[in-house]
Amino acid sequence: LKNKHKILKDNRLKYKLKINLIINKKNYGIGGSQKIIFNFLKDEKFDYLINLQTSGRFSVKEVLNSLKKINLIKFDYVVFSRFLKKNSSKNYNFIRRFGNIFFSFFTRLFTNCKISDPGMAINVIRFTLFKKIKAKNKILNLTNDSHFPHLFNIIIFENKFLFKEKSIDWGEGNIKSHLTAIPINYVINLLFYLLRYLIFGRFKPIKKNNFKYTIY
């Protein structure tokens, strides 16, 4: 923690920017982490929220360079896709790739989410769109686990906005995945989420979690 404080202080001085470090008391999952960020930003004024993971499955530099090449002011939402280009996911596990493509098709068929990779969490959200989805407060009812990005993209597409997809090169990464060689539990749970949304138009609310974290 001491080293993190030093890095934080050094970067504040170097770049003359407001930089915050948020440390969770425990691992709340990708969904829980996103909810903490959304809560932190609710009273902040910003232009865009850029969501990046640290899974080691993609190049952050590639994403940032890609963003520089588009006119962000034209779009409310930019989401990166593993499947826009045939070779983008060539280094990704075949079973996971096939599963993602299958569920992407299923999602586009039965929801308003029309992007090629609804399971992707690498995205850019304009402040005005952020306020819309925050006001509806549906994000808090989504799961905290690894299904969160998929459900989030379905919820966000309940709004009208301008969006753009960008390709991203994706690999296996350097962390343990929620998907094993036979991702039975993940598949069953995602099917349950999608079928429930198809029938009822909403996901089952989860028990509220009082997230504990410290902001530096």
Side-chain angles (χ1 to χ4, degrees):
L1 185 58
K2 186 177 180 180
N3 288 337
K4 290 178 180 178
H5 283 165
K6 184 179 185 307
I7 293 172
L8 181 63
K9 182 179 179 180
D10 291 345
N11 278 280
R12 281 174 174 167
L13 291 172
K14 181 178 179 180
Y15 296 106
K16 308 298 182 185
L17 294 172
K18 179 183 177 182
I19 303 173
N20 291 101
L21 174 65
I22 302 176
I23 298 181
N24 301 347
K25 298 299 181 181
K26 63 178 182 179
N27 186 352
Y28 293 117
I30 186 172
S33 296
Q34 286 288 287
K35 292 173 187 178
I36 289 173
I37 291 296
F38 269 51
N39 185 61
F40 169 71
L41 291 174
K42 66 181 181 181
D43 298 319
E44 297 287 327
K45 178 71 175 179
F46 57 90
D47 295 319
Y48 294 91
L49 165 62
I50 302 177
N51 274 316
L52 298 172
Q53 294 177 337
T54 55
S55 62
R57 292 177 176 169
F58 71 101
S59 166
V60 173
K61 185 176 181 180
E62 175 195 347
V63 169
L64 297 179
N65 285 337
S66 181
L67 290 175
K68 291 178 182 178
K69 296 177 182 178
I70 65 174
N71 187 358
L72 273 180
I73 200 171
K74 292 183 177 180
F75 306 103
D76 302 299
Y77 189 54
V78 178
V79 60
F80 285 82
S81 171
R82 294 163 284 190
F83 311 118
L84 276 181
K85 293 182 178 179
K86 185 176 181 180
N87 291 329
S88 292
S89 60
K90 64 182 179 180
N91 295 319
Y92 194 39
N93 180 282
F94 172 78
I95 295 177
R96 297 174 189 168
R97 185 169 69 249
F98 177 81
N100 274 285
I101 292 173
F102 169 79
F103 279 111
S104 295
F105 172 78
F106 188 84
T107 300
R108 291 195 302 273
L109 189 63
F110 295 115
T111 76
N112 290 325
C113 181
K114 303 305 180 183
I115 57 178
S116 64
D117 191 2
M120 175 54 75
I122 311 301
N123 53 52
V124 181
I125 307 172
R126 188 198 290 270
F127 178 69
T128 50
L129 179 58
F130 172 85
K131 286 199 301 182
K132 284 183 183 179
I133 58 180
K134 190 72 178 68
K136 292 183 178 180
N137 220 27
K138 290 186 176 182
I139 304 304
L140 292 177
N141 288 328
L142 299 182
T143 178
N144 293 326
D145 67 18
S146 50
H147 296 90
F148 178 87
H150 205 120
L151 308 191
F152 174 81
N153 276 311
I154 291 174
I155 290 296
I156 200 173
F157 269 85
E158 292 178 350
N159 301 276
K160 291 184 178 180
F161 57 87
L162 297 175
F163 73 94
K164 183 177 183 63
E165 281 192 89
K166 294 286 290 182
S167 63
I168 188 173
D169 292 331
W170 201 256
E172 283 301 288
N174 54 15
I175 62 171
K176 293 182 179 179
S177 174
H178 56 276
L179 297 178
T180 57
I182 307 177
I184 300 299
N185 290 336
Y186 184 87
V187 169
I188 291 174
N189 287 335
L190 186 52
L191 276 173
F192 171 78
Y193 285 127
L194 294 178
L195 287 173
R196 194 181 193 284
Y197 187 86
L198 175 62
I199 296 170
F200 300 105
R202 64 185 183 275
F203 298 111
K204 182 179 179 181
I206 66 167
K207 182 179 179 181
K208 289 187 178 180
N209 194 325
N210 294 319
F211 300 114
K212 295 180 180 180
Y213 54 92
T214 304
I215 301 173
Y216 299 93

